[in-house]
Amino acid sequence: MTDPVAARRAAIAAEKERLARARERRSSQGQSAATGFGRRKWRWLGVNGDEAIDAVLVMLRDFAAAPELTDGQRDTLDRAVAGTPDRETLLPAVRAGLATLEPEAVLGHLRSLWAAGVRWLGERGSDRCRVLCSTAPGVELLGTRSHAVSGGPAFSLFVTAATRGAIPLPNAVLTQVLSWAPLSVLDDLVDHGGLLTDDEPWLARAGDEALYLRARLAPHTVGPQDAERLDWQDALRRRAFLADETLLRQEPEDVWDLLYDVARDVQLSSLDALDAVLPRAQQIQLRDLRSGALVGQWDRDTLRDRGLWKLMAALWRPTETVDPRRGEFYALVALGRAYDLLKSGDLDGARRQAESFVRERKTAPGPSLPAELLAEAYTIAAYATAVTSADAGSDWAAREQLDLAKTYAEKAAEDGGPVAERNLRHVGAWRATPKNKRGMMTNPFLDIGLDHGAESWERHCRALFRDYEEHGDQAAQARLNLAQDRIDEAARHEAGFDVFFRAPLDPARSAQPDAVPGRLVPPLEPMARRTALTSGADLESIRALASVELLDDFRSTPPHLDRHGSTR
């Protein structure tokens, strides 16, 4: 029952029913029918009224014949049942008799005595008895004074359970209850910070309960097999993401689905959704990454996380030449930008971007770039320089550019492999052929914005033709037809598409790495609580154990009786 008001009402009803049954039980056993003299004797023991006398007699009859008692104690109890209680010896005998009963019976008798106004406990015991006999104890019952009430382990646990962890267990008794306290009560303590990792409560439990407590307090100690055993999906999905394993999508999407969409598949439309579900620390990282993309500036820790490079490159749209000397990420962005400019037809922009690598190779004192990236940059520079030579103002200027293109192609061939060597032969053939006999130097795939050798070129050409037709661009249609004819003719040729200058040498070299973005991965959080609220049965069992602890505060002599009839 999660509603505290309903729980309190149910507890009150249960207590009323218990009291009614107790009265019926006393009635069935016969009334005390104590005489005035007998009542006076009981009154000197702090037992006032027939109801109180009946409650005491019911209790005495419950353990009067217990074999654990001495003969003297049994004689004292028998005389009390007969109506002649002894003021000096009765209370020690009652305490000994209660100690022979089960905790539930002890609790029942103490409740009856408390309800009848019999105060045979010391001041501290009475304070605890008031709490235990309360129908539905809660924070409002345990006032300032009661907060300071100290008791045994069971009483302390009862107060914690009754207040759902709002009042923590004292450290002195914590280790004494960890082995038997209901798991739901320990969860209450975890929720309120009353049970910490340093307490290591799992050492006092066994099996699944120990594993559960470790997952709640020390999640990093739970291995993959234990996480499987717990069916702890958050930990399993986090581990799978970090291991770059395939994740089954959840419904609705969780943080791991969104992280995969944004960081691995670069779905920028999911950025806001990811921002909303990330913990605060990772949310700040994502926002810093997005703001850095405005100018292409990020801190060193972000640049070291290769798993973020794809997202950073997708967010950053540089309009000026990117300096590859700033690091490998910037070199990959610069190379990708040069290639994009090449496919868009901006050969001068592609040449300037590619030559930024050349300048780095010649003069930069900074860290050297990977040889394969330099080979790609030289290839793009060679292609752009050779193709734009046709627009030079004079034959001399055109030959100068072809000489430079040949130089670039030679540099590319040093580390570029067979494709770069074939490109070098193309440039050499152009350079050796008179201008009026030289064929077209461009790669028709690049002319229409496709990667070299793309299989979808026919479908792409049809779509482009329709678009040009809608806009009435006949010149673009003519250029498209020419590129299409060149591709179609090469496809029928024995050499295939190798008749064209190929750029880039290997598209994978300029691709951003496909790695796990460590700085955006949320830390492993403790497993969420799985237990329900502490049941009434568990609470009653703790209450019964706590009532046994009250026997340590049982009086050895009756409370003082003044002449006005009150006891103290």
Side-chain angles (χ1 to χ4, degrees), residues 271-301:
L271 269 171
D272 291 337
L274 176 62
D275 182 275
V277 299
L278 282 175
R280 183 59 179 168
Q282 285 68 43
Q283 188 182 67
I284 292 174
Q285 295 289 346
L286 179 61
R287 293 179 182 181
D288 288 346
L289 186 147
R290 296 176 74 173
S291 62
L294 298 175
V295 292
Q297 293 281 357
W298 294 275
D299 60 69
R300 289 185 179 180
D301 290 336

PDB file of all heavy atoms in Angstrom, residues 271-301:
ATOM      1  N   LEU A 271      19.994  15.465 -32.167  1.00  0.00           N
ATOM      2  CA  LEU A 271      20.856  16.148 -31.200  1.00  0.00           C
ATOM      3  C   LEU A 271      20.083  16.654 -29.993  1.00  0.00           C
ATOM      4  O   LEU A 271      20.505  16.466 -28.847  1.00  0.00           O
ATOM      5  CB  LEU A 271      21.584  17.311 -31.880  1.00  0.00           C
ATOM      6  CG  LEU A 271      22.949  16.995 -32.495  1.00  0.00           C
ATOM      7  CD1 LEU A 271      23.438  18.172 -33.318  1.00  0.00           C
ATOM      8  CD2 LEU A 271      23.953  16.658 -31.411  1.00  0.00           C
ATOM      9  N   ASP A 272      18.960  17.300 -30.226  1.00  0.00           N
ATOM     10  CA  ASP A 272      18.191  17.864 -29.114  1.00  0.00           C
ATOM     11  C   ASP A 272      17.635  16.768 -28.211  1.00  0.00           C
ATOM     12  O   ASP A 272      17.595  16.922 -26.979  1.00  0.00           O
ATOM     13  CB  ASP A 272      17.060  18.746 -29.636  1.00  0.00           C
ATOM     14  CG  ASP A 272      17.572  20.022 -30.291  1.00  0.00           C
ATOM     15  OD1 ASP A 272      18.702  20.435 -29.966  1.00  0.00           O
ATOM     16  OD2 ASP A 272      16.856  20.592 -31.135  1.00  0.00           O
ATOM     17  N   ALA A 273      17.201  15.672 -28.820  1.00  0.00           N
ATOM     18  CA  ALA A 273      16.684  14.561 -28.009  1.00  0.00           C
ATOM     19  C   ALA A 273      17.787  13.971 -27.139  1.00  0.00           C
ATOM     20  O   ALA A 273      17.558  13.636 -25.968  1.00  0.00           O
ATOM     21  CB  ALA A 273      16.084  13.488 -28.918  1.00  0.00           C
ATOM     22  N   LEU A 274      19.004  13.851 -27.695  1.00  0.00           N
ATOM     23  CA  LEU A 274      20.123  13.355 -26.900  1.00  0.00           C
ATOM     24  C   LEU A 274      20.469  14.325 -25.783  1.00  0.00           C
ATOM     25  O   LEU A 274      20.730  13.910 -24.647  1.00  0.00           O
ATOM     26  CB  LEU A 274      21.338  13.139 -27.805  1.00  0.00           C
ATOM     27  CG  LEU A 274      22.632  12.711 -27.102  1.00  0.00           C
ATOM     28  CD1 LEU A 274      22.433  11.372 -26.403  1.00  0.00           C
ATOM     29  CD2 LEU A 274      23.783  12.639 -28.092  1.00  0.00           C
ATOM     30  N   ASP A 275      20.468  15.592 -26.074  1.00  0.00           N
ATOM     31  CA  ASP A 275      20.760  16.614 -25.062  1.00  0.00           C
ATOM     32  C   ASP A 275      19.801  16.509 -23.881  1.00  0.00           C
ATOM     33  O   ASP A 275      20.192  16.701 -22.727  1.00  0.00           O
ATOM     34  CB  ASP A 275      20.666  18.009 -25.695  1.00  0.00           C
ATOM     35  CG  ASP A 275      21.013  19.113 -24.729  1.00  0.00           C
ATOM     36  OD1 ASP A 275      20.113  19.554 -23.972  1.00  0.00           O
ATOM     37  OD2 ASP A 275      22.173  19.545 -24.716  1.00  0.00           O
ATOM     38  N   ALA A 276      18.563  16.152 -24.161  1.00  0.00           N
ATOM     39  CA  ALA A 276      17.545  16.109 -23.106  1.00  0.00           C
ATOM     40  C   ALA A 276      17.719  14.925 -22.154  1.00  0.00           C
ATOM     41  O   ALA A 276      17.296  14.998 -20.999  1.00  0.00           O
ATOM     42  CB  ALA A 276      16.149  16.075 -23.723  1.00  0.00           C
ATOM     43  N   VAL A 277      18.345  13.844 -22.617  1.00  0.00           N
ATOM     44  CA  VAL A 277      18.434  12.639 -21.786  1.00  0.00           C
ATOM     45  C   VAL A 277      19.822  12.428 -21.178  1.00  0.00           C
ATOM     46  O   VAL A 277      19.985  11.579 -20.305  1.00  0.00           O
ATOM     47  CB  VAL A 277      18.044  11.377 -22.582  1.00  0.00           C
ATOM     48  CG1 VAL A 277      16.605  11.486 -23.072  1.00  0.00           C
ATOM     49  CG2 VAL A 277      18.992  11.143 -23.753  1.00  0.00           C
ATOM     50  N   LEU A 278      20.817  13.201 -21.599  1.00  0.00           N
ATOM     51  CA  LEU A 278      22.158  13.037 -21.048  1.00  0.00           C
ATOM     52  C   LEU A 278      22.234  13.586 -19.630  1.00  0.00           C
ATOM     53  O   LEU A 278      21.563  14.576 -19.304  1.00  0.00           O
ATOM     54  CB  LEU A 278      23.190  13.764 -21.919  1.00  0.00           C
ATOM     55  CG  LEU A 278      23.621  13.093 -23.220  1.00  0.00           C
ATOM     56  CD1 LEU A 278      24.558  14.013 -23.991  1.00  0.00           C
ATOM     57  CD2 LEU A 278      24.289  11.755 -22.965  1.00  0.00           C
ATOM     58  N   PRO A 279      23.044  12.969 -18.772  1.00  0.00           N
ATOM     59  CA  PRO A 279      23.320  13.576 -17.453  1.00  0.00           C
ATOM     60  C   PRO A 279      23.972  14.941 -17.633  1.00  0.00           C
ATOM     61  O   PRO A 279      24.504  15.266 -18.695  1.00  0.00           O
ATOM     62  CB  PRO A 279      24.278  12.577 -16.795  1.00  0.00           C
ATOM     63  CG  PRO A 279      24.068  11.299 -17.533  1.00  0.00           C
ATOM     64  CD  PRO A 279      23.705  11.675 -18.933  1.00  0.00           C
ATOM     65  N   ARG A 280      23.966  15.726 -16.565  1.00  0.00           N
ATOM     66  CA  ARG A 280      24.406  17.112 -16.663  1.00  0.00           C
ATOM     67  C   ARG A 280      25.828  17.243 -17.203  1.00  0.00           C
ATOM     68  O   ARG A 280      26.094  18.084 -18.064  1.00  0.00           O
ATOM     69  CB  ARG A 280      24.306  17.775 -15.282  1.00  0.00           C
ATOM     70  CG  ARG A 280      24.670  19.260 -15.277  1.00  0.00           C
ATOM     71  CD  ARG A 280      23.782  20.045 -16.216  1.00  0.00           C
ATOM     72  NE  ARG A 280      24.093  21.470 -16.198  1.00  0.00           N
ATOM     73  CZ  ARG A 280      23.630  22.331 -17.085  1.00  0.00           C
ATOM     74  NH1 ARG A 280      22.843  21.911 -18.066  1.00  0.00           N
ATOM     75  NH2 ARG A 280      23.948  23.598 -17.001  1.00  0.00           N
ATOM     76  N   ALA A 281      26.756  16.428 -16.703  1.00  0.00           N
ATOM     77  CA  ALA A 281      28.159  16.553 -17.127  1.00  0.00           C
ATOM     78  C   ALA A 281      28.297  16.295 -18.627  1.00  0.00           C
ATOM     79  O   ALA A 281      28.979  17.046 -19.342  1.00  0.00           O
ATOM     80  CB  ALA A 281      29.034  15.585 -16.339  1.00  0.00           C
ATOM     81  N   GLN A 282      27.672  15.237 -19.129  1.00  0.00           N
ATOM     82  CA  GLN A 282      27.771  14.921 -20.561  1.00  0.00           C
ATOM     83  C   GLN A 282      26.947  15.910 -21.392  1.00  0.00           C
ATOM     84  O   GLN A 282      27.288  16.183 -22.550  1.00  0.00           O
ATOM     85  CB  GLN A 282      27.285  13.492 -20.821  1.00  0.00           C
ATOM     86  CG  GLN A 282      28.260  12.412 -20.378  1.00  0.00           C
ATOM     87  CD  GLN A 282      28.428  12.338 -18.881  1.00  0.00           C
ATOM     88  OE1 GLN A 282      27.439  12.424 -18.147  1.00  0.00           O
ATOM     89  NE2 GLN A 282      29.645  12.174 -18.413  1.00  0.00           N
ATOM     90  N   GLN A 283      25.893  16.439 -20.804  1.00  0.00           N
ATOM     91  CA  GLN A 283      25.111  17.465 -21.501  1.00  0.00           C
ATOM     92  C   GLN A 283      25.968  18.703 -21.754  1.00  0.00           C
ATOM     93  O   GLN A 283      25.922  19.300 -22.842  1.00  0.00           O
ATOM     94  CB  GLN A 283      23.886  17.819 -20.661  1.00  0.00           C
ATOM     95  CG  GLN A 283      22.895  18.724 -21.332  1.00  0.00           C
ATOM     96  CD  GLN A 283      21.737  19.060 -20.401  1.00  0.00           C
ATOM     97  OE1 GLN A 283      21.922  19.737 -19.390  1.00  0.00           O
ATOM     98  NE2 GLN A 283      20.559  18.564 -20.720  1.00  0.00           N
ATOM     99  N   ILE A 284      26.765  19.086 -20.768  1.00  0.00           N
ATOM    100  CA  ILE A 284      27.666  20.233 -20.936  1.00  0.00           C
ATOM    101  C   ILE A 284      28.691  19.943 -22.018  1.00  0.00           C
ATOM    102  O   ILE A 284      29.010  20.803 -22.856  1.00  0.00           O
ATOM    103  CB  ILE A 284      28.345  20.564 -19.600  1.00  0.00           C
ATOM    104  CG1 ILE A 284      27.305  21.112 -18.604  1.00  0.00           C
ATOM    105  CG2 ILE A 284      29.469  21.566 -19.791  1.00  0.00           C
ATOM    106  CD1 ILE A 284      27.851  21.325 -17.212  1.00  0.00           C
ATOM    107  N   GLN A 285      29.220  18.706 -22.042  1.00  0.00           N
ATOM    108  CA  GLN A 285      30.183  18.334 -23.077  1.00  0.00           C
ATOM    109  C   GLN A 285      29.576  18.468 -24.470  1.00  0.00           C
ATOM    110  O   GLN A 285      30.216  18.990 -25.398  1.00  0.00           O
ATOM    111  CB  GLN A 285      30.659  16.891 -22.854  1.00  0.00           C
ATOM    112  CG  GLN A 285      31.434  16.671 -21.582  1.00  0.00           C
ATOM    113  CD  GLN A 285      32.811  17.304 -21.610  1.00  0.00           C
ATOM    114  OE1 GLN A 285      33.296  17.690 -22.669  1.00  0.00           O
ATOM    115  NE2 GLN A 285      33.429  17.415 -20.456  1.00  0.00           N
ATOM    116  N   LEU A 286      28.334  17.998 -24.610  1.00  0.00           N
ATOM    117  CA  LEU A 286      27.682  18.068 -25.923  1.00  0.00           C
ATOM    118  C   LEU A 286      27.454  19.520 -26.335  1.00  0.00           C
ATOM    119  O   LEU A 286      27.659  19.884 -27.501  1.00  0.00           O
ATOM    120  CB  LEU A 286      26.356  17.305 -25.881  1.00  0.00           C
ATOM    121  CG  LEU A 286      25.540  17.309 -27.175  1.00  0.00           C
ATOM    122  CD1 LEU A 286      26.323  16.654 -28.310  1.00  0.00           C
ATOM    123  CD2 LEU A 286      24.205  16.597 -26.981  1.00  0.00           C
ATOM    124  N   ARG A 287      27.043  20.346 -25.399  1.00  0.00           N
ATOM    125  CA  ARG A 287      26.786  21.749 -25.738  1.00  0.00           C
ATOM    126  C   ARG A 287      28.081  22.487 -26.067  1.00  0.00           C
ATOM    127  O   ARG A 287      28.108  23.351 -26.967  1.00  0.00           O
ATOM    128  CB  ARG A 287      26.050  22.425 -24.580  1.00  0.00           C
ATOM    129  CG  ARG A 287      24.646  21.863 -24.391  1.00  0.00           C
ATOM    130  CD  ARG A 287      23.905  22.498 -23.235  1.00  0.00           C
ATOM    131  NE  ARG A 287      22.585  21.891 -23.087  1.00  0.00           N
ATOM    132  CZ  ARG A 287      21.705  22.263 -22.168  1.00  0.00           C
ATOM    133  NH1 ARG A 287      21.990  23.234 -21.313  1.00  0.00           N
ATOM    134  NH2 ARG A 287      20.518  21.669 -22.102  1.00  0.00           N
ATOM    135  N   ASP A 288      29.174  22.166 -25.349  1.00  0.00           N
ATOM    136  CA  ASP A 288      30.468  22.763 -25.696  1.00  0.00           C
ATOM    137  C   ASP A 288      30.904  22.321 -27.091  1.00  0.00           C
ATOM    138  O   ASP A 288      31.484  23.111 -27.850  1.00  0.00           O
ATOM    139  CB  ASP A 288      31.525  22.346 -24.674  1.00  0.00           C
ATOM    140  CG  ASP A 288      31.335  23.035 -23.324  1.00  0.00           C
ATOM    141  OD1 ASP A 288      30.567  24.019 -23.269  1.00  0.00           O
ATOM    142  OD2 ASP A 288      31.934  22.585 -22.331  1.00  0.00           O
ATOM    143  N   LEU A 289      30.639  21.069 -27.418  1.00  0.00           N
ATOM    144  CA  LEU A 289      31.006  20.565 -28.744  1.00  0.00           C
ATOM    145  C   LEU A 289      30.226  21.305 -29.838  1.00  0.00           C
ATOM    146  O   LEU A 289      30.791  21.694 -30.867  1.00  0.00           O
ATOM    147  CB  LEU A 289      30.728  19.069 -28.799  1.00  0.00           C
ATOM    148  CG  LEU A 289      31.176  18.301 -30.049  1.00  0.00           C
ATOM    149  CD1 LEU A 289      31.587  16.894 -29.663  1.00  0.00           C
ATOM    150  CD2 LEU A 289      30.039  18.229 -31.064  1.00  0.00           C
ATOM    151  N   ARG A 290      28.947  21.526 -29.591  1.00  0.00           N
ATOM    152  CA  ARG A 290      28.124  22.216 -30.593  1.00  0.00           C
ATOM    153  C   ARG A 290      28.546  23.671 -30.745  1.00  0.00           C
ATOM    154  O   ARG A 290      28.585  24.195 -31.866  1.00  0.00           O
ATOM    155  CB  ARG A 290      26.645  22.112 -30.205  1.00  0.00           C
ATOM    156  CG  ARG A 290      26.119  20.695 -30.197  1.00  0.00           C
ATOM    157  CD  ARG A 290      24.686  20.603 -29.719  1.00  0.00           C
ATOM    158  NE  ARG A 290      23.733  21.083 -30.699  1.00  0.00           N
ATOM    159  CZ  ARG A 290      22.405  20.987 -30.562  1.00  0.00           C
ATOM    160  NH1 ARG A 290      21.898  20.419 -29.465  1.00  0.00           N
ATOM    161  NH2 ARG A 290      21.610  21.441 -31.497  1.00  0.00           N
ATOM    162  N   SER A 291      28.839  24.325 -29.636  1.00  0.00           N
ATOM    163  CA  SER A 291      29.255  25.725 -29.729  1.00  0.00           C
ATOM    164  C   SER A 291      30.631  25.844 -30.386  1.00  0.00           C
ATOM    165  O   SER A 291      30.894  26.805 -31.119  1.00  0.00           O
ATOM    166  CB  SER A 291      29.267  26.367 -28.334  1.00  0.00           C
ATOM    167  OG  SER A 291      30.201  25.717 -27.487  1.00  0.00           O
ATOM    168  N   GLY A 292      31.515  24.866 -30.135  1.00  0.00           N
ATOM    169  CA  GLY A 292      32.825  24.893 -30.773  1.00  0.00           C
ATOM    170  C   GLY A 292      32.756  24.744 -32.284  1.00  0.00           C
ATOM    171  O   GLY A 292      33.651  25.210 -33.007  1.00  0.00           O
ATOM    172  N   ALA A 293      31.687  24.088 -32.769  1.00  0.00           N
ATOM    173  CA  ALA A 293      31.541  23.880 -34.211  1.00  0.00           C
ATOM    174  C   ALA A 293      31.260  25.178 -34.958  1.00  0.00           C
ATOM    175  O   ALA A 293      31.400  25.233 -36.185  1.00  0.00           O
ATOM    176  CB  ALA A 293      30.430  22.869 -34.486  1.00  0.00           C
ATOM    177  N   LEU A 294      30.887  26.239 -34.250  1.00  0.00           N
ATOM    178  CA  LEU A 294      30.616  27.517 -34.915  1.00  0.00           C
ATOM    179  C   LEU A 294      31.885  28.106 -35.523  1.00  0.00           C
ATOM    180  O   LEU A 294      31.844  28.754 -36.573  1.00  0.00           O
ATOM    181  CB  LEU A 294      29.996  28.503 -33.921  1.00  0.00           C
ATOM    182  CG  LEU A 294      28.636  28.098 -33.322  1.00  0.00           C
ATOM    183  CD1 LEU A 294      28.201  29.104 -32.274  1.00  0.00           C
ATOM    184  CD2 LEU A 294      27.586  27.983 -34.430  1.00  0.00           C
ATOM    185  N   VAL A 295      33.020  27.890 -34.859  1.00  0.00           N
ATOM    186  CA  VAL A 295      34.282  28.449 -35.345  1.00  0.00           C
ATOM    187  C   VAL A 295      35.349  27.377 -35.536  1.00  0.00           C
ATOM    188  O   VAL A 295      36.489  27.696 -35.896  1.00  0.00           O
ATOM    189  CB  VAL A 295      34.800  29.525 -34.353  1.00  0.00           C
ATOM    190  CG1 VAL A 295      33.893  30.735 -34.352  1.00  0.00           C
ATOM    191  CG2 VAL A 295      34.919  28.949 -32.944  1.00  0.00           C
ATOM    192  N   GLY A 296      35.013  26.127 -35.261  1.00  0.00           N
ATOM    193  CA  GLY A 296      35.994  25.055 -35.426  1.00  0.00           C
ATOM    194  C   GLY A 296      37.043  25.033 -34.337  1.00  0.00           C
ATOM    195  O   GLY A 296      38.196  24.660 -34.591  1.00  0.00           O
ATOM    196  N   GLN A 297      36.661  25.405 -33.120  1.00  0.00           N
ATOM    197  CA  GLN A 297      37.601  25.432 -32.006  1.00  0.00           C
ATOM    198  C   GLN A 297      37.069  24.553 -30.879  1.00  0.00           C
ATOM    199  O   GLN A 297      35.937  24.747 -30.419  1.00  0.00           O
ATOM    200  CB  GLN A 297      37.778  26.869 -31.484  1.00  0.00           C
ATOM    201  CG  GLN A 297      38.449  27.808 -32.460  1.00  0.00           C
ATOM    202  CD  GLN A 297      39.951  27.624 -32.490  1.00  0.00           C
ATOM    203  OE1 GLN A 297      40.500  26.832 -31.742  1.00  0.00           O
ATOM    204  NE2 GLN A 297      40.627  28.351 -33.366  1.00  0.00           N
ATOM    205  N   TRP A 298      37.888  23.588 -30.426  1.00  0.00           N
ATOM    206  CA  TRP A 298      37.521  22.729 -29.301  1.00  0.00           C
ATOM    207  C   TRP A 298      38.722  22.574 -28.373  1.00  0.00           C
ATOM    208  O   TRP A 298      39.873  22.760 -28.796  1.00  0.00           O
ATOM    209  CB  TRP A 298      37.097  21.339 -29.803  1.00  0.00           C
ATOM    210  CG  TRP A 298      35.852  21.349 -30.611  1.00  0.00           C
ATOM    211  CD1 TRP A 298      34.569  21.303 -30.156  1.00  0.00           C
ATOM    212  CD2 TRP A 298      35.748  21.391 -32.036  1.00  0.00           C
ATOM    213  NE1 TRP A 298      33.677  21.313 -31.203  1.00  0.00           N
ATOM    214  CE2 TRP A 298      34.373  21.373 -32.376  1.00  0.00           C
ATOM    215  CE3 TRP A 298      36.680  21.450 -33.071  1.00  0.00           C
ATOM    216  CZ2 TRP A 298      33.916  21.402 -33.682  1.00  0.00           C
ATOM    217  CZ3 TRP A 298      36.225  21.485 -34.382  1.00  0.00           C
ATOM    218  CH2 TRP A 298      34.865  21.460 -34.685  1.00  0.00           C
ATOM    219  N   ASP A 299      38.463  22.215 -27.128  1.00  0.00           N
ATOM    220  CA  ASP A 299      39.564  22.012 -26.188  1.00  0.00           C
ATOM    221  C   ASP A 299      40.306  20.715 -26.521  1.00  0.00           C
ATOM    222  O   ASP A 299      39.839  19.879 -27.295  1.00  0.00           O
ATOM    223  CB  ASP A 299      39.037  21.986 -24.748  1.00  0.00           C
ATOM    224  CG  ASP A 299      38.033  20.868 -24.519  1.00  0.00           C
ATOM    225  OD1 ASP A 299      38.438  19.693 -24.531  1.00  0.00           O
ATOM    226  OD2 ASP A 299      36.829  21.169 -24.330  1.00  0.00           O
ATOM    227  N   ARG A 300      41.457  20.550 -25.910  1.00  0.00           N
ATOM    228  CA  ARG A 300      42.323  19.411 -26.241  1.00  0.00           C
ATOM    229  C   ARG A 300      41.669  18.072 -25.914  1.00  0.00           C
ATOM    230  O   ARG A 300      41.811  17.101 -26.663  1.00  0.00           O
ATOM    231  CB  ARG A 300      43.644  19.538 -25.488  1.00  0.00           C
ATOM    232  CG  ARG A 300      44.539  20.661 -25.994  1.00  0.00           C
ATOM    233  CD  ARG A 300      45.871  20.636 -25.262  1.00  0.00           C
ATOM    234  NE  ARG A 300      46.767  21.688 -25.743  1.00  0.00           N
ATOM    235  CZ  ARG A 300      47.990  21.888 -25.276  1.00  0.00           C
ATOM    236  NH1 ARG A 300      48.458  21.088 -24.308  1.00  0.00           N
ATOM    237  NH2 ARG A 300      48.743  22.842 -25.766  1.00  0.00           N
ATOM    238  N   ASP A 301      40.972  18.014 -24.772  1.00  0.00           N
ATOM    239  CA  ASP A 301      40.356  16.745 -24.383  1.00  0.00           C
ATOM    240  C   ASP A 301      39.304  16.310 -25.400  1.00  0.00           C
ATOM    241  O   ASP A 301      39.168  15.121 -25.698  1.00  0.00           O
ATOM    242  CB  ASP A 301      39.724  16.870 -22.991  1.00  0.00           C
ATOM    243  CG  ASP A 301      40.779  16.997 -21.903  1.00  0.00           C
ATOM    244  OD1 ASP A 301      41.911  16.541 -22.128  1.00  0.00           O
ATOM    245  OD2 ASP A 301      40.467  17.565 -20.836  1.00  0.00           O
TER     246      ASP A 301
END
